[in-house]
């Protein structure tokens, strides 16, 4: 039975396409949907951040997880999926429903939901491919989970106040802008590898 696991893993990876890329390609509309998500987060602004200076917090976004030169394509997809999934989870709570314009919030959720399935496939493949390897550094998704946990804790500490939500919204908009840069970089890498 122990000998079957590597064979099954190899078959799974091959079923997703070439083993080198693990068959994970950035979906065609991914950049466009991320830009739409970024714009929707901008539309959600309800108060001036200047009114919230006393509530500021440095959430320490782990920028290193978005350095496309460090990771394989599947790791990039896993990072993108984790960020979008965490944003979706954050805005899919009762507290978010109470804090934001319902129409824009529904559009945000829909846009995020459209992005997640393709990226989830790559996340699963990446996780299986990595199961037998020893990681010497913290996994990018673990760093992201810690970052978003800090955001959840902050919102709870601030009792989901308008200022807390506004500062989180701004933080997520900045993080999403970074993912758009990563996606554009991946698009460029895919185009370069496709032409050679």
């Amino acid at each position: 039975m122990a000998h079957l696991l590597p064979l099954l893993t190899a078959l799974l990876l091959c079923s997703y396409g070439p083993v080198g890329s693990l068959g994970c390609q950035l979906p065609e509309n991914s950049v466009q949907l991320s830009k739409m998500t970024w714009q929707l987060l901008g539309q959600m602004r309800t108060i001036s951040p200047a009114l919230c200076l006393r509530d500021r917090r440095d959430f320490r976004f782990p920028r290193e997880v978005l350095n496309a030169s460090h990771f394989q394509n599947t790791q990039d997809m896993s990072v993108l999926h984790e960020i979008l999934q965490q944003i979706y989870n954050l805005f899919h709570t009762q507290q978010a429903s109470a804090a934001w314009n319902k129409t824009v919030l529904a559009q945000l959720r829909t846009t995020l939901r459209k992005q997640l399935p393709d990226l989830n496939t790559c996340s699963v493949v990446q996780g299986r491919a990595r199961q037998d390897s020893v990681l010497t550094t913290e996994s990018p998704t673990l760093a992201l989970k810690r970052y978003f946990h800090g955001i959840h804790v902050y919102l709870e500490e601030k009792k989901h106040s308008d200022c807390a939500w506004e500062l989180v919204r701004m933080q997520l908009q900045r993080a999403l802008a970074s993912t758009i840069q990563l996606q554009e970089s991946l698009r460029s890498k895919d185009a370069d590898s496709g032409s050679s």
Side-chain angles (χ1 to χ4, degrees), residues 70-176:
H70 288 304
F71 303 116
Q72 298 172 350
N73 200 27
T74 52
Q75 287 174 312
D76 295 327
M77 297 300 173
S78 182
V79 165
L80 291 172
H81 178 267
E82 186 65 32
I83 290 171
L84 295 174
Q85 183 67 59
Q86 291 286 346
I87 292 172
Y88 178 81
N89 293 346
L90 195 60
F91 285 105
H92 207 272
T93 62
Q94 283 184 320
Q95 294 88 352
S97 295
W100 301 107
N101 174 294
K102 306 243 183 302
T103 303
V104 179
L105 184 60
Q107 290 173 334
L108 177 73
R109 290 173 178 167
T110 300
T111 305
L112 286 164
R113 208 173 19 249
K114 287 178 184 176
Q115 291 177 277
L116 291 170
D118 291 330
L119 295 173
N120 185 45
T121 299
C122 290
S123 294
V124 169
V125 170
Q126 186 248 336
R128 293 219 171 99
R130 225 175 32 180
Q131 262 180 350
D132 295 329
S133 67
V134 177
L135 296 177
T136 56
T137 60
E138 179 180 54
S139 83
T141 53
L142 182 58
L144 288 167
K145 286 178 192 274
R146 284 189 181 145
Y147 166 74
F148 280 99
H149 177 73
I151 289 175
H152 283 281
V153 168
Y154 169 78
L155 285 169
E156 287 175 18
E157 286 173 0
K158 297 292 183 177
K159 298 183 178 13
H160 296 87
S161 70
D162 290 345
C163 275
W165 274 114
E166 176 58 22
L167 294 172
V168 165
R169 182 202 65 79
M170 288 172 43
Q171 178 71 205
L172 296 178
Q173 198 172 20
R174 275 188 233 112
L176 198 58

Side-chain angles (χ1 to χ4, degrees), residues 17 30 40 42 48 61 80 93 137 156 193:
S30 182
L40 288 166
S48 170
F61 181 73
L80 291 172
T93 62
T137 60
E156 287 175 18
S193 66

Side-chain angles (χ1 to χ4, degrees), residues 6-73:
L7 179 60
L8 291 173
T9 302
L11 288 172
L12 174 69
L13 295 177
C14 289
S15 72
Y16 281 100
V19 174
S21 69
L22 300 178
C24 293
Q25 295 287 326
L26 190 64
E28 287 294 321
N29 63 350
S30 182
V31 175
Q32 177 187 359
L33 288 170
S34 288
K35 287 180 178 179
M36 189 181 309
T37 301
W38 184 85
Q39 290 172 342
L40 288 166
L41 281 170
Q43 290 175 22
M44 292 172 74
R45 180 178 168 183
T46 56
I47 59 175
S48 170
L51 299 174
C52 303
L53 294 178
R54 63 183 166 78
D55 291 319
R56 284 187 303 178
R57 168 110 20 117
D58 181 6
F59 295 103
R60 298 178 194 256
F61 181 73
R63 296 208 180 281
E64 67 278 0
V65 302
L66 294 176
N67 187 345
S69 65
H70 288 304
F71 303 116
Q72 298 172 350
N73 200 27

